[in-house]
Amino acid sequence: MTTTEQPSVSDRPALTSLRRARESFLLGRQLPDDVPEEVVAAWRRARFFGVRHDMPAPVPDPAPPPVRPEDPALLAAARPVLERIAPALGTEQAALLLTDERLRVLWAAGGGRHDLSRLDLSERTVGVNSAARALSTRRRAEVHGPEHFLDLWQDVSAVSVPVLSPDTGRPLGTVTAASTLCAECGPHPGAALAEAAADAVEAELLARSQGAERVLLDAYLAALRGALPPGRDGTAGPERGGTGRPPAGRAVVALDGRSRLVSEAAGRLLSPEGLEALERAAVAARRGAARAAVPLPEGSKCRATLTPVTHMGSVIGAVAVLEPVGRTATWADGPGGATPGGPRCGGGDGVGVGVGGRSVAWRHAVDRATELARSSSEPLLLVGERGTGKASLARELTEGPLLTADAAEGAVHAALEEWAGGRAVLVRHAERLTQRDVAALNSLLEAPPAALLLVTYTPGPPPGPCLQRLLDSLAARSVTLPALRERPEDIRDLLDSVTPRPAPGQPPLTWSLDALRALEQHPWPGNVTELVHLVRALTEQRRATGPVRRTELPDPVREGPAARQLSPMERAERTAILDALHRHGGNKARTAMALGIARATLYRKLRGYRG
């Protein structure tokens, strides 16, 4: 969990003047100059999403949120904590809420006459609120009265704190304390309570995670020793119909949705598609499925029986025992071999590199971009960190010829003239546009040509007013691409996409399970571009044969993220550094200067945190 200091009373505009500004905004009038840009931007987003400011009452989601592996763990860990803290709310008008990472309320107490359970607090549904802001910034966030877009929350103050995964640091949800309006107050009176609740939930998640990992490891070792996979009570049964094979020869896989344990024999039998099938079955097991045979992809050289493993009354993973069928399969049948997993995206010319992936985050971004590109010829903005595949996706979205202009090379003005003449154009690196080109583009957007315009933008330092005006004009049709560290499950698809085809007579590049796990755990600050460089360097320089081993990977990838738990001070410091890196587009020299530390100190701290 990370926190930040909230604005002091003197820094926050008077709520009375902010209330008048909101009324002016709703009436379409000119806003005063002292309204914070963050507040105005939030109101604009709500209007863009079609949120009604006069919504009569919060409406619970009629259907319960779909069960996902992380939801039961978060709710199970948080419920006893929140039930202990809830009595401290004090009044019926106060409320304590827990949301998931999609901002749906999983648990609520208080709230007066409103039913707060199963509410959707996403900005697309209710506009700006502290939970949405805390989740997006990964910091404590407060929203008071007229900062809200909804009329019914004009007399409500709320503070939210993100709950972060103890394993990955990924936001799992938020804890929110809401109350009647705190007129001109400093930190929300419930801030300490929300902080303490989030801290306690994270501590409980960590304790449960460590205990669950131990139980899953014990089940895996029991299966390796020749016992049956553990039953639903978590205990291993006696061996039935033993084969007499030594433990080293048993093919066993243990999975919990985040990590997996794969014996050497299982690694030889399973293809990547088979492992994915087992992971899907493990997710189903966490939803309550019983021990069963797992249907593996056609052509698999083994059959699998999967049994759920329980801990503290919940299914925390599963163990699968594999039996070979016919000829023993080898890892060479996996990625890059005769039956590669999934279609290749692009070819040797690099077109389409980085477009592969089947994760929810990536498919959502691609589907949204495809929908926007096909629905009309209006300009489309693709936003993302350096190397996330913005230009590759832009090329995939167009069916005909696409003229590409790179603002970093200063070749944009002529391309804009081509666009005005009806030709589809891709403008890369909008953050590097000159004032002249920004002005020309803003002028053209007032009455845009019928041809398609695609623009890529990499966030960095705050843009100037002209560039900000351009980004605001394009914001209604924009898509943000997730960073590679946010979709590690796509690594295998991307490897198939970016690995060059072998020369005639040469074996394809394949990967050991240990190497794949290291690649999936790496934070990839350079995103897909960094992965492409790594794969091509291995292809050109490698002299060994067989699958790539973990020891052959570069040091930062091979060593993986730091195993130790950071102290609260280190976590706060690490968050500040990562935020500064994000603001400065990953430039470490500018980041160090902004933080007031030496560049060597910045590098040392980054190495210490390692991700």
Side-chain angles (χ1 to χ4, degrees):
M1 182 195 65
T2 56
T3 63
T4 186
E5 291 299 322
Q6 298 298 313
S8 65
V9 176
S10 60
D11 293 335
R12 180 179 290 128
L15 294 180
T16 302
S17 63
L18 196 58
R19 197 181 303 277
R20 287 196 296 266
R22 176 179 174 275
E23 293 172 355
S24 298
F25 176 84
L26 294 177
L27 294 173
R29 297 173 180 168
Q30 182 71 29
L31 297 180
D33 294 334
D34 62 345
V35 183
E37 181 59 33
E38 180 185 34
V39 175
V40 177
W43 292 343
R44 287 174 178 163
R45 287 196 303 273
R47 174 169 286 174
F48 170 73
F49 291 144
V51 178
R52 289 180 50 193
H53 69 88
D54 56 350
M55 183 185 298
V59 180
D61 187 349
V67 179
R68 296 185 304 280
E70 60 269 26
D71 282 347
L74 175 60
L75 186 55
R79 189 190 299 275
V81 172
L82 299 177
E83 288 178 347
R84 289 196 304 269
I85 292 177
L89 292 174
T91 68
E92 291 185 358
Q93 297 303 315
L96 187 64
L97 299 87
L98 172 75
T99 75
D100 63 10
E101 80 283 4
R102 295 180 64 185
L103 291 169
R104 286 188 281 198
V105 177
L106 301 178
W107 181 95
R113 65 182 182 277
H114 295 308
D115 177 15
L116 299 175
S117 60
R118 294 191 286 109
L119 281 182
D120 181 352
L121 296 183
S122 65
E123 283 202 0
R124 290 178 178 271
T125 304
V126 297
V128 61
N129 59 85
S130 61
R133 186 172 291 174
L135 198 67
S136 64
T137 62
R138 299 194 182 193
R139 292 184 176 85
R140 193 182 82 206
E142 296 186 17
V143 177
H144 297 271
E147 293 177 331
H148 292 104
F149 188 72
L150 298 186
D151 293 347
L152 59 91
W153 287 347
Q154 293 305 294
D155 294 321
V156 173
S157 287
V159 56
S160 298
V161 180
V163 177
L164 307 182
S165 166
D167 300 315
T168 65
R170 180 176 65 85
L172 298 177
T174 66
V175 172
T176 297
S179 66
T180 53
L181 183 63
C182 308
E184 312 300 337
C185 67
H188 189 283
L193 181 143
E195 293 267 14
D199 265 334
V201 172
E202 288 179 358
E204 183 66 21
L205 283 169
L206 178 61
R208 289 171 179 254
S209 172
Q210 291 173 337
E213 288 174 356
R214 181 72 250 179
V215 170
L216 189 65
L217 176 60
D218 289 343
Y220 170 76
L221 294 175
L224 277 180
R225 287 194 301 268
L228 285 175
R232 292 188 66 84
D233 60 352
T235 60
E239 183 171 355
R240 181 184 305 164
T243 62
R245 289 175 295 171
R250 297 188 67 85
V252 178
V253 180
L255 316 98
D256 64 0
R258 298 171 303 173
S259 57
R260 47 187 180 263
L261 301 168
V262 183
S263 71
E264 184 178 348
R268 292 194 299 267
L269 285 173
L270 273 178
S271 67
E273 296 84 2
L275 189 56
E276 289 178 5
L278 287 179
E279 289 178 332
R280 290 192 296 270
V283 170
R286 297 187 71 169
R287 297 172 183 170
R291 180 182 179 187
V294 178
L296 297 178
E298 185 178 353
S300 295
K301 307 304 179 183
C302 62
R303 56 175 176 262
T305 302
L306 184 138
T307 304
V309 179
T310 60
H311 175 58
M312 298 181 69
S314 300
V315 178
I316 52 92
V319 169
V321 174
L322 312 179
E323 294 291 340
V325 176
R327 181 182 66 86
T328 301
T330 66
W331 182 249
D333 296 321
T339 56
R344 296 185 69 88
C345 298
D349 60 357
V351 176
V353 168
V355 182
R358 287 174 280 184
S359 65
V360 173
W362 178 252
R363 290 314 315 168
H364 175 77
V366 172
D367 291 346
R368 176 63 176 159
T370 303
E371 176 187 357
L372 291 173
R374 292 178 178 174
S375 62
S376 73
S377 60
E378 294 182 26
L380 175 60
L381 176 66
L382 299 177
V383 182
E385 295 180 8
R386 176 176 57 87
T388 49
K390 301 184 292 295
S392 295
L393 178 58
R395 296 186 184 101
E396 293 289 326
L397 294 174
T398 56
E399 298 178 356
L402 181 66
L403 176 63
T404 301
D406 194 332
E409 300 173 359
V412 174
H413 204 75
L416 294 181
E417 294 177 353
E418 293 283 342
W419 178 50
R423 185 173 180 182
V425 171
L426 165 62
V427 175
R428 300 184 61 194
H429 300 122
E431 69 279 1
R432 303 285 294 276
L433 285 168
T434 64
Q435 287 288 100
R436 175 194 178 197
D437 291 335
V438 171
L441 196 47
N442 276 326
S443 177
L444 286 170
L445 288 175
E446 293 178 0
L452 180 62
L453 174 68
L454 296 154
V455 180
T456 70
Y457 175 71
T458 302
C466 291
L467 180 56
Q468 185 61 59
R469 177 189 164 197
L470 171 63
L471 297 176
D472 289 342
S473 300
L474 298 173
R477 288 173 53 85
S478 66
V479 176
T480 299
L481 273 60
L484 185 54
R485 64 179 173 275
E486 297 170 358
R487 53 185 189 110
E489 60 268 41
D490 288 341
I491 292 290
R492 300 188 184 197
D493 284 343
L494 288 169
L495 287 174
D496 186 44
S497 171
V498 306
T499 300
R501 292 185 177 90
Q506 295 295 320
L509 192 67
T510 60
W511 308 82
S512 69
L513 287 174
D514 199 30
L516 284 171
R517 186 171 185 180
L519 294 173
E520 291 169 345
Q521 291 176 337
H522 185 57
W524 298 108
N527 292 295
V528 180
T529 301
E530 182 183 355
L531 178 65
V532 170
H533 290 162
L534 182 149
V535 171
R536 292 184 177 172
L538 276 172
T539 304
E540 295 169 3
Q541 302 169 12
R542 189 169 186 256
R543 297 294 179 264
T545 59
V548 176
R549 298 179 297 276
R550 187 183 190 120
T551 54
E552 299 178 66
L553 300 176
D555 289 347
V557 182
R558 181 176 67 246
E559 294 172 3
R564 69 183 181 91
Q565 292 293 321
L566 301 180
S567 68
M569 182 65 72
E570 288 175 319
R571 283 194 288 173
E573 185 180 61
R574 174 180 178 273
T575 299
I577 290 175
L578 292 179
D579 284 347
L581 276 169
H582 182 71
R583 287 196 306 272
H584 294 283
N587 186 297
K588 295 182 176 63
R590 290 202 300 265
T591 299
M593 184 178 299
L595 293 172
I597 61 176
R599 185 159 34 169
T601 302
L602 176 64
Y603 279 105
R604 176 174 55 79
K605 289 183 177 294
L606 289 174
R607 284 195 302 270
Y609 302 140
R610 201 173 301 152

